[in-house]
Amino acid sequence: MGADPFLVVVDYDAGNLRSVERALAHVGVDASISADWADLARADGVILPGVGAASDTMAKLGERELTEPLREYVASGRPFLGICMGLQALLDHSDEGGGQECLGVLPGTVRHFGFDHLKVPHMGWNQVEWVREHRITEDIPSGTYFYFVHSFYPAPDDSGLALGETTYGLTFPSVLARDNVVATQFHPEKSGDAGLAIYANFAKWVREA
Amino acid sequence: MLTKRIIPCFDVDRGRVVKGVSFIELRDAGDPVELAKLYDAEGADELVFLDITASSDNRATVYDMVSATADQVFIPFTVGGGIRTTSDMKTMLELGADKVSINTAAVNDPDLVNEGAYRFGSQCIVVAIDAKGTGEGWEVYTHGGRTPTGIDAIAWAREVVERGAGELLVTSMDTDGHQRGYDIPMLAAMSEAVNVPVIASGGAGGPDHMAEALTAGKADAVLAASIFHFGTYSIREVKAALSEQGIAMRPVGDR
């Protein structure tokens, strides 16, 4: 084995940053928390965490001059994992807060759960059905429960981007994947053993990439 | 399908779990981290820690507890008790709590709900409401249920949600501690009044009470302390019983 891979968790003050770091530590990965574009440029793997509002997320990524480095990183083909708001930020546009342009890495929109009698946020444990195979979900059965907290859901233009699906009022893609990019709407760092397995699979992917 | 949540609650004094948790298999039944791990393995969907430390001199002990729990437990947990400012909220969230719960502080300063939701997101602001029946409705009590406020509990629920609360933790002072069931009419009224999840608290004696709170009471989650801590029921048993009644539960993992 060569040197340990350089895994960066993007630091833009996201609320779940430390939880992601702790989950990685629990599966034996020493991640670097960084807001430095130079770290992104040389990273072997990048995780974009996130909770909260789309406008706030995009503003903070902008302030730290991370939007372009993130796009460049994704284009480089190296493994990328987005979590919750870190998924939503990848799409073109979010309807949150009157509308917000996002990174545009994946074509599509982020929409509100605007249905009668549906409690929002979608909060708690819900099932994810895998719609295809991927190394990030290796050894995790389809239909496993993960922890969700969100009021908006991803609606990619290409339904083929869905890797996993969840039903809450409607069936939406709760995991997106294309090439080197994977993103989960749920919080693996709060989903017990199943969530830790996602981080372990990501770490393995980064090591082998 | 989104499952209903089972949430054990711990009272914590100076960083130690108090109020007679009796598990023979634990070396140290007062150790929050060990207990949290045990309940996680048993299938708890979330955890709530209520800091009842009287003196503010001992805040550091609860900080250590929150941080140590976050290091080793990978399900969501809420910390309540003694949180009076957004800076208190920030401290708890940065140490690793997923949500903070405020009660008396919200009644004293309702803007705290707005400020907390604005700074940290509604998803981590839980407003705890302690209420007692008046015959016509329910009245909000503060200071651990000792002080009546004259505020209508249903109107208060609507107000705090309007201000940005992401979840309500609703305790009936009438049923709390009796283990004869939750206050179903109050829960149903509360749950119908707001569009955020409601956690039922106060009065759980067994799975049938929980089933009632989750169906007739329309709650999204049930919180209980004594029945779990005294080993009357395990979370595994509760989940099995509720599943049998057709209530969606996250299955307990085989470990």
Side-chain angles (χ1 to χ4, degrees):
Chain A
M1 289 295 288
D4 282 345
F6 183 49
L7 206 163
V8 171
V9 180
V10 180
D11 179 9
Y12 65 98
D13 267 345
N16 60 340
L17 175 69
R18 298 291 159 194
S19 300
V20 171
E21 183 186 18
R22 282 166 151 134
L24 287 165
H26 199 79
V27 298
V29 179
D30 190 10
S32 301
I33 310 295
S34 173
D36 186 345
W37 64 269
D39 283 337
L40 287 186
R42 66 187 186 92
D44 300 308
V46 165
I47 297 179
L48 184 65
V51 290
S55 55
D56 195 41
T57 297
M58 293 311 298
K60 280 177 178 159
L61 289 175
E63 275 164 28
R64 297 188 181 195
E65 298 180 353
L66 287 169
T67 47
E68 219 28 64
L70 277 169
R71 288 191 187 107
E72 279 165 19
Y73 177 85
V74 168
S76 78
R78 288 165 286 161
F80 178 94
L81 175 63
I83 310 287
C84 192
M85 183 49 69
L87 174 155
Q88 298 187 359
L90 296 178
L91 294 166
D92 291 320
H93 179 88
S94 171
D95 289 346
E96 193 174 356
Q100 172 64 49
E101 294 310 307
C102 298
L103 291 170
V105 166
L106 301 175
T109 303
V110 178
R111 298 213 173 98
H112 189 249
F113 281 116
F115 308 102
D116 284 348
H117 308 299
L118 194 64
K119 293 202 176 183
V120 177
H122 170 219
M123 181 187 283
W125 297 80
N126 204 338
Q127 281 178 294
V128 181
E129 307 284 347
W130 311 135
V131 295
R132 53 192 166 101
E133 287 185 7
H134 195 284
R135 57 186 307 162
I136 198 87
T137 59
E138 201 180 321
D139 294 330
I140 305 171
S142 188
T144 294
Y145 289 83
F146 291 91
Y147 191 82
F148 289 83
V149 188
H150 61 124
S151 302
F152 291 77
Y153 65 92
D157 294 344
D158 174 6
S159 60
L161 290 186
L163 171 59
E165 289 182 339
T166 296
T167 301
Y168 187 65
L170 80 170
T171 297
F172 68 94
S174 50
V175 188
L176 301 178
R178 190 184 73 186
D179 307 325
N180 57 317
V181 176
V182 175
T184 69
Q185 181 58 66
F186 56 80
H187 287 276
E189 69 281 2
K190 289 292 159 185
S191 296
D193 290 346
L196 293 172
I198 297 264
Y199 285 115
N201 285 342
F202 183 70
K204 189 168 162 232
W205 179 18
V206 171
R207 251 179 245 122
E208 292 169 3
Chain B
M1 189 174 187
L2 182 68
T3 61
K4 301 286 187 178
R5 288 169 282 153
I6 307 294
I7 308 177
C9 173
F10 305 101
D11 283 357
V12 175
D13 185 13
R14 281 164 282 180
R16 305 270 303 158
V17 174
V18 295
K19 234 162 76 173
V21 178
S22 53
F23 283 110
I24 44 170
E25 63 264 44
L26 288 185
R27 269 180 301 114
D28 179 0
D31 178 358
V33 178
E34 217 174 320
L35 277 168
K37 283 164 110 174
L38 178 82
Y39 279 105
D40 173 17
E42 271 275 309
D45 295 312
E46 287 189 40
L47 304 168
V48 170
F49 293 99
L50 188 61
D51 182 24
I52 59 165
T53 310
S55 160
S56 55
D57 300 346
N58 289 307
R59 291 305 276 172
T61 57
V62 81
Y63 297 161
D64 290 345
M65 182 209 82
V66 171
S67 172
T69 304
D71 277 340
Q72 297 192 49
V73 180
F74 297 95
I75 58 173
F77 71 97
T78 301
V79 178
I83 294 165
R84 294 183 188 90
T85 63
T86 51
S87 137
D88 292 339
M89 291 176 178
K90 187 165 193 274
T91 303
M92 288 303 179
L93 296 170
E94 280 182 352
L95 286 167
D98 299 285
K99 311 178 196 179
V100 289
S101 163
I102 52 173
N103 188 337
T104 305
V107 174
N108 289 345
D109 175 16
D111 287 342
L112 183 59
V113 180
N114 305 59
E115 286 159 19
Y118 177 75
R119 286 190 56 186
F120 314 113
S122 287
Q123 80 286 341
C124 59
I125 308 297
V126 182
V127 173
I129 301 178
D130 295 345
K132 208 169 182 165
T134 60
E136 289 160 12
W138 298 272
E139 180 183 358
V140 175
Y141 278 64
T142 55
H143 301 92
R146 292 189 304 275
T147 315
T149 62
I151 299 169
D152 176 71
I154 306 298
W156 177 237
R158 282 203 188 94
E159 181 180 339
V160 294
V161 170
E162 190 94 338
R163 287 175 176 274
E167 197 168 30
L168 301 181
L169 168 53
V170 182
T171 305
S172 161
M173 305 312 300
D174 296 312
T175 59
D176 195 27
H178 297 299
Q179 299 196 17
R180 292 209 292 261
Y182 298 88
D183 184 337
I184 302 302
M186 179 175 82
L187 286 172
M190 198 76 84
S191 202
E192 276 165 15
V194 298
N195 192 33
V196 300
V198 168
I199 306 170
S201 159
D208 287 348
H209 294 149
M210 294 177 162
E212 224 185 348
L214 296 169
T215 54
K218 302 183 177 180
D220 301 281
V222 283
L223 180 132
S226 311
I227 64 160
F228 294 139
H229 302 333
F230 295 133
T232 322
Y233 291 95
S234 68
I235 292 168
R236 197 179 284 269
E237 286 166 342
V238 162
K239 285 194 150 182
L242 293 181
S243 296
E244 212 148 279
Q245 300 194 35
I247 297 170
M249 288 281 125
R250 178 176 68 111
V252 180
D254 303 314
R255 311 179 208 207

